[in-house]
Amino acid sequence: MKNFVVKTLANAGALGVAIWLLQDITLTGDSTGKTAWTLILVALVFGLVNFLVKPVVKLLTFPLFVLTLGLITLIVNALMLLLTSWLADKLDLSFHVEGFWTAVLGALIISVVSWALNVVLPDGD
């Protein structure tokens, strides 16, 4: 359970950095508390998308992974971010990613920040 909470907080931190750095990734709320709660919920949706959908997409695109020596991972991560944005809209969460190239840059930022946070934060159950 502790590992789940740590990974969710790392995802929330990484999403927060991407929102802060890119003007086309937006998260709005009436107050700071509502914005923080929305960020946690979006991080949960993002984690769920990465847990359920990403392995299937990676399996189906395995030849592209081999052909591009893994560079297609950035595109897959961008698509997962766009899917998270779509799901957030359907769940009435105020999170939006505007455009594919913004998603690519956002996925790059989220990957780097999430990796750094997972190195620093404890990883135990």
Side-chain angles (χ1 to χ4, degrees), residues 3 6-7 118 121-125:
N3 191 25
V6 168
K7 290 203 180 290
N118 282 315
L121 293 173
D123 189 29
D125 287 327

Side-chain angles (χ1 to χ4, degrees), residues 7-52:
K7 290 203 180 290
T8 301
L9 290 175
N11 274 341
L15 284 164
V17 170
I19 292 165
W20 180 60
L21 289 175
L22 301 173
Q23 68 181 15
D24 288 337
I25 299 179
T26 57
L27 178 77
T28 56
D30 299 335
S31 65
T32 305
K34 180 156 173 50
T35 303
W37 180 245
T38 303
L39 183 61
I40 296 294
L41 291 176
V42 170
L44 286 170
V45 171
F46 187 63
L48 192 63
V49 165
N50 281 326
F51 180 73
L52 296 175

Side-chain angles (χ1 to χ4, degrees), residues 36-82:
W37 180 245
T38 303
L39 183 61
I40 296 294
L41 291 176
V42 170
L44 286 170
V45 171
F46 187 63
L48 192 63
V49 165
N50 281 326
F51 180 73
L52 296 175
V53 178
K54 190 175 182 179
V56 174
V57 172
K58 286 176 85 171
L59 180 66
L60 293 175
T61 59
F62 181 72
L64 289 175
F65 277 91
V66 173
L67 187 65
T68 64
L69 302 174
L71 290 176
I72 194 74
T73 303
L74 190 57
I75 303 302
V76 170
N77 289 344
L79 292 174
M80 296 304 108
L81 188 58
L82 285 172

Side-chain angles (χ1 to χ4, degrees), residues 5 18 25-26 44 47 81 83-84 90 100 107 113 116 120:
V5 172
I25 299 179
T26 57
L44 286 170
L81 188 58
L83 179 59
T84 300
K90 296 299 178 194
F100 176 75
V113 172
V120 173

